[in-house]
Amino acid sequence: MSLENFDREIYDLTNSELKRQTNYLEMIASENFTYPEVLEVMGSILTNKYAEGYPGKRYYGGCEFVDEIETLAIERCKKLFNCNFANVQPNSGSQANQGVYGALLNPGDKILGMDLSHGGHLTHGAKVSSSGKMYESFFYGVELDGRINYDKVADIANIVKPKLIVCGASAYAREIDFAKFREIADSVGAYLFADVAHIAGLVVAGEHKSPFPHCDIVSSTTHKTLRGPRGGIIMTNDEVIAKKVNSSIFPGIQGGPLMHVIAAKAVGFKHNLSDEWKVYAKQVKANAKKLAEVLISRKYNLVSNGTDNHLVLMSFLDKEFSGKDADMALENSGITCNKNTVPGETRSPFITSGIRLGSPALTSRGMKEAEFEIIGNKIADILDDINNKDLQISVKNELKELASKFIIYDKAMY
Ligand code: DSN
């Protein structure tokens, strides 16, 4: 029986979400539109198969085909990141990071990561996350200019003497210098762990410096700039670390891997290995740069005054309206983004003084600099007159018209 006939509520809600994704301009920096082939295999019979263990060493029979699938995913992942070992089983980026810590740390060990309010991630030691509960976490941040000051990171590392340093961020618009982090880690004898979830799609295209060979271990999600299915991965060049990672993921924190998602990761990696991928990643950066240029020309402040990657952080510290106000005004105008804290933040994390805007999803729809110029100007128009509800309605209609020229999925997929 079809979903439409069996469960009309979920069918209708899924179609409503498809319409929302189609009609709105998706500018959440961590979101993307994955490929139809990825969706196809994720919705396949592979979901039926239990395969606890790793290829060739499973705890269940009947794994001959899923073994081949996981091996393909591993080999493609290694080729992409140019490394010797990959674990493609983490169900998410958070679980990948939990797996990394489980492999290298004991409860109570010290870790040093980027402060959540400065652009870090929950799993980089935030006290509300298991990374901050199980380990003693310390933080570095960005300066008021929005950039990491590597000398300060070195000073903090020298005082804290962490066992592991995390580099990588969720809201940092500038290139991360993995070589400098390596020097800092070496100066205190710490492991260096890069979480490249946000920038992985750029890294594998050569559009951002690679964390290898500088980092001992690297994690990522597969759905952000990589544009694959939701999920996590862990990579390393060190055989001892690789073995520890495998045990840390299974049986450490996960049971049966999601074989339909692992197959989808393999399909996503095949896209990432193609020549077209390099064109896409270059365009993601070019589009973010154009957006930054337009917003600056319209007299808006950007954290770090620009971008080297796929995202732009707008700061409203000098404005009467907040990040939350801007987020709502843009949502009313057909643009989806998220409020974000900024360096020197004066408002609460629920209100904030900034928004984060990303280019990956709209680039996947085929938009280029010309469209980002239009969108940047529309964002500025809305923010210039933030209480003008009529303007928000008319911009929403204009942007819906623009969106309709860039189809995401050319047939109903459900
Ligand atoms: N939630 C993701 C982001 O928005 O950056 C990180 O996991």
Side-chain angles (χ1 to χ4, degrees), residues 28-31 93-94 97 119-123 169-171 195 197-198 221 223-224 230 310-311 338 340 356:
I28 293 177
S30 49
E31 292 190 9
S94 294
N97 291 355
H121 189 253
L122 275 169
T123 58
S170 285
D195 175 348
H198 262 266
T221 52
H223 51 276
K224 296 188 177 90
R230 295 299 280 255
H310 62 299
L311 67 84
N338 64 277
N340 220 95
R356 187 183 66 162

Side-chain angles (χ1 to χ4, degrees), residues 9-156:
E9 285 160 291
I10 292 296
Y11 176 85
D12 285 345
L13 287 167
T14 306
N15 272 319
S16 298
E17 173 60 15
L18 176 62
K19 278 201 197 102
R20 190 196 66 79
Q21 291 187 14
T22 305
N23 294 338
Y24 278 69
L25 295 186
E26 182 53 72
M27 299 192 80
I28 293 177
S30 49
E31 292 190 9
N32 211 331
F33 299 113
T34 195
Y35 297 93
E37 309 83 69
V38 167
L39 294 177
E40 185 181 339
V41 79
M42 259 201 296
S44 75
I45 48 80
L46 291 171
T47 194
N48 298 336
K49 190 71 196 101
Y50 253 126
E52 285 179 14
Y54 290 96
K57 284 171 280 178
R58 304 284 192 186
Y59 290 82
Y60 290 83
C63 287
E64 60 270 37
F65 301 114
V66 293
D67 270 7
E68 281 192 50
I69 286 172
E70 185 165 344
T71 302
L72 266 175
I74 290 169
E75 291 308 317
R76 289 177 186 173
C77 185
K78 281 160 47 179
K79 195 165 172 197
L80 259 182
F81 286 89
N82 195 17
C83 64
N84 295 335
F85 301 95
N87 186 310
V88 296
Q89 293 194 0
N91 293 331
S92 69
S94 294
Q95 277 167 296
N97 291 355
Q98 211 183 334
V100 168
Y101 299 139
L104 301 179
L105 303 174
N106 293 311
D109 280 346
K110 292 178 185 174
I111 63 172
L112 174 62
M114 191 158 173
D115 196 319
L116 182 61
S117 65
H118 285 235
H121 189 253
L122 275 169
T123 58
H124 297 176
K127 299 296 178 193
V128 290
S129 131
S130 70
S131 62
K133 292 189 206 282
M134 283 185 67
Y135 310 103
E136 196 183 352
S137 53
F138 298 85
F139 303 98
Y140 60 87
V142 293
E143 301 294 296
L144 286 176
D145 68 2
R147 293 178 187 256
I148 296 169
N149 176 335
Y150 292 89
D151 292 335
K152 272 204 183 161
V153 181
D155 289 344
I156 299 169

